[in-house]
Every structure is written in structure tokens, then in C-alpha cells.
Amino acid sequence: MFSGCAPAMRTELFKVSIMQGERLMKLRQIALVLHRYVGVMVGILLAIVSLTGSLLVFWKELNVFLNPQMFQVIPQSDRVSVQFVVDTVRSAYPDWQLNFMDLPRTLNSVYTVKMLLNDGGRASIYLDPYTGAVLGSQEWGRTVMSFIYNFHISLLGGKAGETVVGICGLLLLLLTVTGLILWPGWKKLAAGFAIRWRSSSQLINYDLHKVGGILSCVFLIAIASTGTAMTFETQFKSAVYSLAGTPKPPQLTSTIVANSPPISADIVLQKADLALPSGKSISITFPRKPQGIFVVRKRLVGDIHPNGSSNVYLDRYSGEVLRVENSFTANAASRIIISWFPLHIGAFGGLTTRILYVFIGLTPTLLSITGLVLWRRRQWRLATRREASRQITATVAEPQKIYPIAEWPWF
């Protein structure tokens, strides 16, 4: 009985194998079309966004290098208080609104105070942490690094540009996935990583494209997905909380006390340290409205976020702790959202991954150039074939002259 069924089973398995092969071939064809034309359409934009992103990996270091006079500090025994810094900047810039303060992280670091301008702009003020002296200021949009940043997130196109960059992130994800489908290493692993340096320039170009793509694909997926999530932050946060089945944290406000000034910044830090003793205070966000609150950001030991991902929220009048967010005990949805920024800039592995991300940012440019060369080569071949076909068709369609036996064609 089994021997009689064996041929039939083999036939069915053979048919199934053929059907699976046809489906796989169709999938590869679809992937090839998408990969080819999406790459041609957005390759230049992806190159611009990725190159500026590489520069922003070491944003702070480059800003210090370009403006050393604003970051020269001679360490001393004691620092001025945070409230002294607050009073200094408010006195020096009375028409601007205090918004944020980045606290010194090392002995040679400065206080960085961010203020809102009357015209809607922003400015950063740098102060010596030991003397309280103002070392300099930078208005957003008038510095090299802010220009690069705006180019990266919006192509200098404002909100519409941000949307374009976000869509480019989605298309980079599509290009990476289709590239993985087309990668020849699925059939033969060695072929997927080989670069035939002694072959023709066409093959070298193709090999650079496939090897550069496969080596960077995991990082490109991380960068593209987190970049898109941060661009469309509201929508993605809602989706994450919904999928995780976790409610969004409630909006916090201060209880307004008439004729009562807000507590000092020094008290804010003291209360934040009591509420979350572990870790280091990184920054303070100041309330902008009467019902606004203080937010102290802290970086705990082992936190992969360079700016810290734990927060303490306080009432601006009473100093009451309204909420404490410890990134290590946060729910799944919050941890996913917290991971976006360090994954996007490569901070999760320290200096090593940051340097790696500089080179990863160059790969979309390499892939765009090699992909464009492949596309142009294909277009040239198609044009050559069409021209040859046209000439053959014209030759066949041309009526042939029949010469009589007595008449020779060269007469």
C-alpha cells in the first residue's frame, strides 16, 4: 500500500515545491521592482539625511570644537548654585523666557541654559559653573550645527519637510527589506559577502551594493524605524501604548497658589534626589505657564540614554513630587519609547557604537551611488535592445527589390 502511494506523494511534493518556487520568484520580482524604483526616487534624499545624521552623532563634541571660547572652564573647588545661574541668565536676558537647563556632567563642563525668544526662536546660553560668568550664547538656526540638524530632520522645509523625512524613513525600511529579499547570500552564503575586485567595474559595483547593504541592514532598520517613530511621535506613541495595552500617563499640572513664587531650582534638585536617590541629575525643565511643572531628568547607572531616561515631576509652588519615572521599572510601552533615541544615534553601546554609526550613516550614500549606477546600466541596456529591435523591424518592413536575371544590382 505504501509503495503504491509513494509515487503519488512524490508527485504532490514536487508540485508543492514548484508552486513555492513560483511564489518565491514572484516575490523576488516584486521586491526587485520596488527596490529599483524607490531607490531611484528617494536615493538622493536618503543620502542627505544619512550624511547629516553621521555628523550629528558627535553633535556636542563638534559644537565644542567649533566654538572653544564658550566651553573653556578652569575647574575649581566649588560650583555656583543652580539658582544663581537662573538669576544670572534672567538678569542678563530679561526679555527671554527660561525653558531648560543642562547641568554640568564633568569637571570641565558648563551650564547650558536654553531660553525662548520673543519671536518664537530659541537660544542657548553657556555659563562657567565655578564663576557663573556668561561665556557666550548661540541662537538656534544661526550656527553650523543647528543648520545641519534642521537639514537632517526637515531638509530645511519646516513641518512639511519633517513629514517628507519621516516618509523617507519608511521608504528606507522598504528598501532594506526588499534588499534582504534580493540578497544572493540566501542561496550561497559566500556569494553574498564576496567582492570580486579583479572583475569588471560593473560586477565590483554590484558587489559593493550587495555587501554594503547586508552589513548595514540591521542598523539601517533600527535607524529608519526609530527616526520615523520620532518624526511621527504622537501617532507612534499612541500606537505603542495601544498595542501594549498600557494607558498613557496622565498630564500633570501644578496647583496654582495666588501671589506665591515658584520654589528655587536648588530645592527642586534636592527634592528630586530624595525622590530618586540613585543616578545623577542631568537637566531641569522649567515651567512655562502658571500651572506648569518642574521636570528633573536623571541618568541611572546602566542607562543607555545619553541624557538619562528617568524623570521626577514636581509642583512648581509646593515642590510636591507628582510622579517618579524610573526607566528600569517602567512598563513595556515606556521602555520601547525610551529606546528610540539611543538606538537612533548609536548611544546604546557607548563610544564604539557611536563611531560605528558614523560609518553606517555613510552607507545610504554608497548604496544610492552604486544603485544608481546599476539602474543607469540597465537603462542603457534596455535602450540598446530597443534600438536594435527597431532597426530589425525597419529592415524586415522595408520592401525588397527583386532583380531580373539579366539585371545586376550594382548597375
Side-chain angles (χ1 to χ4, degrees):
M1 180 176 67
F2 291 102
S3 60
C5 294
M9 291 177 63
R10 284 197 295 269
T11 302
E12 288 299 320
L13 290 174
F14 182 69
K15 290 181 179 179
V16 170
S17 178
I18 291 176
M19 292 176 63
Q20 290 177 343
E22 290 176 347
R23 291 195 190 101
L24 183 59
M25 183 62 68
K26 188 173 182 180
L27 176 63
R28 286 180 59 84
Q29 290 173 349
I30 295 173
L32 178 60
V33 171
L34 289 173
H35 194 79
R36 179 181 295 152
Y37 291 104
V38 170
V40 170
M41 287 188 296
V42 299
I44 295 177
L45 293 180
L46 291 176
I48 293 172
V49 173
S50 61
L51 287 174
T52 52
S54 288
L55 292 172
L56 292 174
V57 171
F58 288 94
W59 157 292
K60 291 185 177 180
E61 292 83 352
L62 285 174
N63 194 33
V64 172
F65 176 78
L66 294 172
N67 306 279
Q69 72 282 359
M70 291 191 290
F71 299 93
Q72 292 178 352
V73 172
I74 300 176
Q76 299 178 26
S77 57
D78 297 316
R79 289 177 177 170
V80 298
S81 67
V82 176
Q83 187 60 42
F84 181 87
V85 174
V86 171
D87 295 337
T88 299
V89 294
R90 282 178 172 164
S91 175
Y93 306 94
D95 296 329
W96 296 355
Q97 183 180 13
L98 180 62
N99 182 47
F100 178 87
M101 181 186 296
D102 199 4
L103 305 174
R105 304 185 191 185
T106 65
L107 292 175
N108 296 317
S109 298
V110 300
Y111 281 106
T112 302
V113 180
K114 297 183 179 180
M115 306 191 76
L116 303 178
L117 281 60
N118 295 331
D119 59 2
R122 292 173 289 166
S124 295
I125 317 298
Y126 304 100
L127 297 94
D128 188 306
Y130 301 101
T131 66
V134 175
L135 300 175
S137 63
Q138 294 176 318
E139 287 194 34
W140 187 262
R142 298 186 179 183
T143 65
V144 173
M145 296 311 299
S146 62
F147 174 81
I148 294 173
Y149 180 84
N150 287 335
F151 218 142
H152 179 69
I153 67 166
S154 68
L155 300 172
L156 305 180
K159 290 296 182 182
E162 289 182 15
T163 302
V164 171
V165 171
I167 294 172
C168 284
L170 291 173
L171 294 177
L172 178 57
L173 279 173
L174 177 62
L175 285 171
T176 307
V177 172
T178 53
L180 279 171
I181 294 173
L182 298 170
W183 184 55
W186 299 118
K187 294 181 179 179
K188 189 177 180 181
L189 186 63
F193 290 100
I195 299 179
R196 293 160 287 186
W197 295 109
R198 296 185 179 181
S199 300
S200 66
S201 59
Q202 300 173 28
L203 288 177
I204 294 174
N205 182 80
Y206 169 73
D207 288 345
L208 288 173
H209 191 80
K210 73 178 183 186
V211 174
I214 194 62
L215 291 179
S216 61
C217 65
V218 173
F219 299 103
L220 291 179
I221 289 173
I223 292 170
S225 58
T226 54
T228 303
M230 289 188 293
T231 300
F232 303 115
E233 184 177 8
T234 302
Q235 296 85 345
F236 272 77
K237 277 187 175 181
S238 298
V240 169
Y241 282 118
S242 178
L243 291 173
T246 304
K248 289 183 181 180
Q251 189 74 24
L252 300 175
T253 58
S254 295
T255 302
I256 298 177
V257 179
N259 301 320
S260 177
I263 60 175
S264 72
D266 296 324
I267 295 177
V268 169
L269 285 178
Q270 291 172 10
K271 288 182 174 291
D273 287 337
L274 290 174
L276 190 59
S278 57
K280 182 178 181 179
S281 295
I282 298 296
S283 64
I284 306 174
T285 301
F286 291 82
R288 295 168 54 186
K289 298 179 180 180
Q291 70 273 23
I293 60 174
F294 285 102
V295 182
V296 177
R297 174 161 286 200
K298 307 197 70 167
R299 187 180 187 191
L300 308 183
V301 177
D303 193 343
I304 64 172
H305 199 300
N307 301 320
S309 53
S310 299
N311 298 288
V312 180
Y313 301 84
L314 304 99
D315 187 290
R316 68 175 297 179
Y317 301 103
S318 65
E320 177 189 356
V321 174
L322 303 176
R323 185 166 69 222
V324 176
E325 293 176 345
N326 186 323
S327 59
F328 291 105
T329 60
N331 55 53
S334 296
R335 274 186 258 177
I336 290 172
I337 294 169
I338 288 169
S339 70
W340 289 348
F341 184 70
L343 284 175
H344 189 71
I345 68 169
F348 56 89
L351 181 61
T352 302
T353 49
R354 291 178 70 197
I355 294 174
L356 176 62
Y357 261 50
V358 172
F359 292 99
I360 294 297
L362 304 178
T363 55
T365 301
L366 170 67
L367 298 175
S368 296
I369 294 172
T370 54
L372 184 61
V373 170
L374 290 171
W375 180 77
R376 288 291 299 165
R377 181 67 185 173
R378 179 179 180 275
Q379 294 300 107
W380 182 84
R381 287 200 304 267
L382 290 176
T384 303
R385 290 174 186 172
R386 284 195 294 267
E387 179 62 20
S389 177
R390 187 189 66 79
Q391 292 181 4
I392 292 173
T393 303
T395 301
V396 173
E398 182 180 351
Q400 300 294 319
K401 184 177 180 180
I402 302 176
Y403 300 98
I405 294 177
E407 182 181 350
W408 297 94
W410 53 78
F411 291 145

